[in-house]
Amino acid sequence: MSLVERLNSDMKQAMKDKDKDKLSVIRMMKASLQNEGIKLGKQELSEDEELTVLSRELKQRKDSLQEFDKAGRQDLTEKLHAEIAVVESYMPKQLSEEELDALVTEAIAQTNATSKADMGKVMSAIMPKVKGKADGSLVNKLVLQHLSK
């Protein structure tokens, strides 16, 4: 089942369940996917392109969550936590920190990186492997830790 089919199915179920919050998040994700398709001039997006859109949606919500936390807006953070949970349910299984650490070590070995100056090479080697499966800021932090040893 493709992502769009799954979203359509879940949208119908959310309508039946009268789950307005989940319904609005699904509609936003569908709109983002459609907008990306229009921007790229395609009818169907590849899995990779769909993953990029979902990752962007997730990142936007996590960034907003941090801002609302700083501002002390608990009413909005609760709503965002629910939205993040819905978006995450469509994302692939996230890599554990140990698995990510092993991939970072492997990427450093492949690129022969020795200092923080080689950070770009390492990040460009590892990000395609972990796309959608790990948060970019966590990958960045792990790479920095390894290169500063």
Side-chain angles (χ1 to χ4, degrees):
M1 179 184 283
S2 76
L3 177 62
V4 174
E5 290 170 345
R6 195 169 146 213
L7 285 170
N8 285 332
S9 169
D10 290 351
M11 186 169 75
K12 288 175 190 171
Q13 190 59 48
M15 285 179 187
K16 288 177 185 174
D17 297 342
K18 295 184 178 21
D19 187 346
K20 291 179 183 177
D21 294 333
K22 185 174 183 178
L23 181 61
S24 77
V25 174
I26 292 172
R27 283 183 171 152
M28 278 189 265
M29 286 191 298
K30 279 190 62 170
S32 294
L33 288 167
Q34 287 174 332
N35 289 339
E36 188 74 11
I38 292 167
K39 189 173 98 178
L40 297 173
K42 294 181 172 182
Q43 284 291 327
E44 296 266 330
L45 295 176
S46 69
E47 275 189 46
D48 207 33
E49 291 163 338
E50 289 175 344
L51 195 55
T52 300
V53 173
L54 287 180
S55 296
R56 189 180 321 132
E57 288 290 315
L58 189 60
K59 184 176 181 344
Q60 286 174 350
R61 283 169 175 76
K62 286 184 176 182
D63 290 346
S64 296
L65 185 64
Q66 287 179 339
E67 294 302 316
F68 291 151
D69 277 340
K70 286 180 191 172
R73 296 291 309 266
Q74 285 307 115
D75 55 327
L76 296 174
T77 58
E78 291 171 18
K79 183 176 184 274
L80 268 176
H81 279 295
E83 287 184 16
I84 288 170
V86 171
V87 176
E88 283 179 337
S89 70
Y90 294 95
M91 298 288 289
K93 182 182 172 291
Q94 298 291 295
L95 294 171
S96 70
E97 199 162 330
E98 292 78 31
E99 293 169 314
L100 207 49
D101 201 60
L103 286 171
V104 167
T105 305
E106 180 184 315
I108 289 172
Q110 284 176 351
T111 58
N112 297 321
T114 56
S115 67
K116 289 182 183 179
D118 299 321
M119 178 112 179
K121 286 194 292 187
V122 176
M123 290 299 287
S124 63
I126 195 169
M127 286 313 286
K129 295 178 185 174
V130 299
K131 187 173 192 172
K133 298 177 189 168
D135 183 29
S137 59
L138 177 60
V139 175
N140 194 332
K141 184 181 92 173
L142 288 172
V143 170
L144 267 175
Q145 283 176 357
H146 281 276
L147 292 177
S148 59
K149 286 182 183 174

